[in-house]
Amino acid sequence: MLANVNRATPYLFLAPAVLVMAVALLYPIGYMIWASFLDWNPSQRIGEAEFVGLRNYIYLLGDAAFRESFWVTIRFAAIVVTVEMVLGVGLALLLDRKLRGMTVLRTIFILPMMIAPIVVGLMWRYMYHPTVGTLNRMLESVGLPSAPWLSDGTWAFASIVIADIWQWTPFIFILALAALQSLPQSAMEAARIDGASGWQLIWHVKLPLMLPVLIVTALLRLIDAFKVLEVILVLTNGGPGLSTEIVALRIARTAQEFQDLGTAAAMSNLLLILLLVLTILMFGYTRLTERRAARLAAAREAEIT
Amino acid sequence: MLKRLGSGAAAAALLAGTAFANPYEPYQDTTLVVMFPAHPHYDAAIEVLDQFTEQTGIEVEVDQLQYLRMRERQTLELTKDEGDYDLISFVVFSKADYVYADQLENLAKYFMNPALADPTYDQGDLIDGYVQNIGVAGGTKGYLPGQLGSAFGVPFGSETSVLAYRRDIFEKHGIEAPETYEELLDIACRIPELEPGMGGMASRAASGHQASHAFLLHLAPLGGQVFDDNWEPIINNEAGVEAANALKTIVDCGPEGGTTFGPSEAAAAFKSGQAAMFLDSIAFAAGFEDPSESQVAGNVGYALHPMGVERASQTGGFGLAIPANAPNKEAAFLLLQWLTSKEGDKAVAMAGGNPSRFSTYADPEVQAKYPYSETFGEALKYADPDWRPIIPVWGQINSDIGTTMSQVLTEGLDPQEALDGVAERTRALMEESGYYTWQAAE
């Protein structure tokens, strides 16, 4: 009897958390999945909406505009995360030393991240303004032709990429810096004694040791990049054409402008599935490298004994 | 016993007496909650609300929202069992959604109620194009008036299109205000040559709703329509291609960065002297004449929307309606009636709003304060209530036209090809929504 109670205790302690999870996470997701099978107009209650099975999904697969926005999202996420990773880690490697005023510098570096996305959008929008914007004025003052920042498809895409990189590189930077500073000094010293150059040290010691943190950082950024909405909404609202219409924006427009909550829910689910697959792949990869490292360590130990 | 009866009768007589003298009496100290868009007309309306409160004792609390955001909020609000808003202003293309979902009060019962309806209201004085476009539903094609239609809203902050142009620049180069589309396009592209650095015409063109609006603005006068009488898309016919080309010419010869303009950016470009013309809603005129925000105040001339094969200026803007779930419907009707009455309409017009009544346009005081009123009154005669369809699926079609037009403007997509695509997608959508149910099988 007592043994039973003892066994049940951990579950009892877990119960509140499970309950909160169920209400706060599973319920909305279940609601969204259910909604994606409905032809649901926001003027109706969910109970009044007609069940249409997989029609929303079939429609989406055949919808050229959705496919286009899907590619825009993937392109956007891939580019910004790659560039941000390179810049952020690079900055962290450069600034991982004792300089005077370093604390102030670091605070300044992470400022962009702290600004509300709508404000970031507005700020860049004014900077990109064709005639009075800072960027075009600067170009003109050095005798270069002004650029169609937001009025040409390719430029507009580049513009939102620039704004996102500006805002989110600091995120990678602080995480990478924290990872760098928690690396075991002994490994670094050993490498130095073995005569490793600065580059070798970074390439063969620091980066591999930082890798687990970097993977999680990249994953977090990637998930975020897939869902970015406000900055693009303010900057281009998806235009010109569909050149900057990422899936999150298309979902918002489908729900608001087209008044089609079912299709919007189906789109959200597709995005969720994509993110899930990405997450599983990333964790699978870390699990794999960890296991390999463990095997290597075990082998080495066997060799020694 | 007798005494009590007597005092009761006296009280009843007193009540009846005051009710006759002041129809607002029973609603005194009611607080109405209204939803208005952030728009010059409604800014003017808010200024005169104090007069209403003073006259009637009814308090008004205003919630102002960006106009494209209103629909989202209203859709949520109108679905609730008990709403928070007593009176809402709705964008014209929301009419179809709300009426179809049975969320607005039919106004007939209020106009029939002698305790509420003001006998001096004069419905005939309301601008008919606006009433047809914004207020009435249930007639021809469902969204237009007709024998069996009825009113669900009253136009308030409605607008049509006029051409604003720089009188000083036109005079300097001996150019007359364009009468036809040919002249308009010719002048639009001549200006940048005559005045280096200045664009011909500032226009909306941003991807989505704005580009679609700009395209439709040219479509009606050039003789085109989105659908024929059987709901078959004809947007890709010759007139459609001509309208797309006209828009492209205007944007190409317009001020720099024009492909990202919404109406306020386009108006700002005109105000700061970056463009010589502006063809859009009359609502912007008050801003052009205000020296504190406009560098061109006093130099702006106004002309009718140029003619293609016909004159057809747009109709749009806002109307007032009472939500079916409003807590204080009768008091809300009194506010609606007051704001759109001759007195209210003039007060709002004097504060810079758009009149909804012919009498306000003809009013000498209004004309003296706003000299362009006469041209606008004239333009209203050509206002086309059917320049854009108001059907529940319009949101999606509108957005498709808008993004496709943006591709024409920025990516060099061929207009014919672009519109063929829109027509094809629109037909599929209309088919799915049941618009061809009654057509004979082919």
Side-chain angles (χ1 to χ4, degrees), chain A:
Chain A
M1 180 68 201
L2 201 72
N4 271 347
V5 172
N6 269 343
R7 216 174 297 149
T9 318
Y11 297 101
L12 216 69
F13 280 118
L14 280 176
V18 170
L19 212 74
V20 169
M21 267 272 278
V23 173
L25 192 73
L26 294 181
Y27 178 73
I29 290 183
Y31 202 85
M32 186 168 80
I33 293 174
W34 171 239
S36 72
F37 298 121
L38 302 175
D39 180 8
W40 183 19
N41 181 300
S43 310
Q44 299 166 311
R45 306 212 173 157
I46 192 162
E48 298 163 3
E50 186 194 349
F51 184 83
V52 292
L54 287 172
R55 200 186 73 187
N56 291 331
Y57 290 96
I58 294 167
Y59 165 76
L60 280 179
L61 294 180
D63 181 16
F66 173 68
R67 283 203 305 262
E68 171 80 24
S69 72
F70 206 79
W71 283 121
V72 170
T73 313
I74 289 185
R75 241 179 30 230
F76 175 79
I79 295 176
V80 297
V81 173
T82 313
V83 177
E84 282 164 16
M85 284 302 287
V86 172
L87 282 180
V89 174
L91 273 176
L93 288 171
L94 277 176
L95 293 177
D96 177 32
R97 62 191 65 190
K98 294 199 168 52
L99 286 176
R100 202 182 272 215
M102 198 54 214
T103 352
V104 180
L105 262 181
R106 269 180 218 155
T107 318
I108 293 177
F109 269 122
I110 59 170
L111 262 181
M113 219 172 77
M114 300 193 240
I115 305 176
I118 294 280
V119 179
V120 172
L122 282 173
M123 224 167 65
W124 280 93
R125 187 166 166 174
Y126 288 121
M127 283 169 46
Y128 286 137
H129 191 282
T131 46
V132 298
T134 323
L135 295 172
N136 270 355
R137 288 210 159 176
M138 206 169 70
L139 286 177
E140 268 164 38
S141 68
V142 295
L144 289 169
S146 55
W149 293 107
L150 297 177
S151 46
D152 171 274
T154 320
W155 279 95
F157 185 79
S159 301
I160 58 167
V161 166
I162 293 172
D164 194 87
I165 290 174
W166 177 84
Q167 190 180 18
W168 288 108
T169 300
F171 173 76
I172 313 265
F173 164 69
I174 45 167
L175 287 187
L177 193 63
L180 259 179
Q181 288 174 341
S182 62
L183 290 186
Q185 286 302 316
S186 54
M188 239 83 83
E189 258 163 48
R192 248 181 244 122
I193 291 166
D194 285 346
S197 68
W199 274 113
Q200 281 172 328
L201 197 64
I202 290 173
W203 211 232
H204 296 292
V205 181
K206 287 184 180 170
L207 284 181
L209 284 175
M210 284 163 72
L211 202 62
V213 177
L214 292 186
I215 286 179
V216 175
T217 312
L219 184 66
L220 286 176
R221 252 327 279 149
L222 202 62
I223 291 176
D224 231 33
F226 271 102
K227 298 185 307 186
V228 62
L229 175 70
E230 297 95 331
V231 175
I232 299 180
L233 185 83
V234 174
L235 268 180
T236 63
N237 196 17
L242 291 173
S243 57
T244 58
E245 185 162 290
I246 50 155
V247 173
L249 189 59
R250 183 142 193 98
I251 293 172
R253 291 183 66 189
T254 305
Q256 285 171 21
E257 281 178 42
F258 313 165
Q259 309 256 301
D260 188 349
L261 296 181
T263 312
M267 255 187 248
S268 310
N269 285 338
L270 289 178
L271 189 63
L272 186 70
I273 291 170
L274 178 79
L275 288 175
L276 265 180
V277 168
L278 272 175
T279 315
I280 291 169
L281 279 180
M282 285 271 190
F283 279 125
Y285 176 76
T286 20
R287 182 83 47 88
L288 206 77
T289 47
E290 265 166 26
R291 218 174 281 161
R292 211 175 56 193
R295 253 206 325 271
L296 277 178
R300 222 171 285 144
E301 232 161 79
E303 247 168 54
I304 293 166
T305 49

Side-chain angles (χ1 to χ4, degrees), chain B residues 220-291:
Chain B
L222 290 170
Q225 264 197 314
V226 180
F227 297 107
D228 69 5
D229 290 341
N230 297 315
W231 296 114
E232 286 293 339
I234 50 164
I235 193 170
N236 55 339
N237 66 10
E238 233 171 86
V241 175
E242 208 184 330
N245 282 324
L247 178 61
K248 183 155 174 52
T249 308
I250 288 166
V251 172
D252 285 348
C253 295
E256 218 174 312
T259 50
T260 60
F261 281 179
S264 29
E265 284 93 353
F270 183 75
K271 275 190 234 175
S272 61
Q274 291 170 41
M277 290 184 285
F278 177 78
L279 179 64
D280 207 303
S281 160
I282 55 174
F284 293 98
F288 294 158
E289 300 300 335
D290 179 356

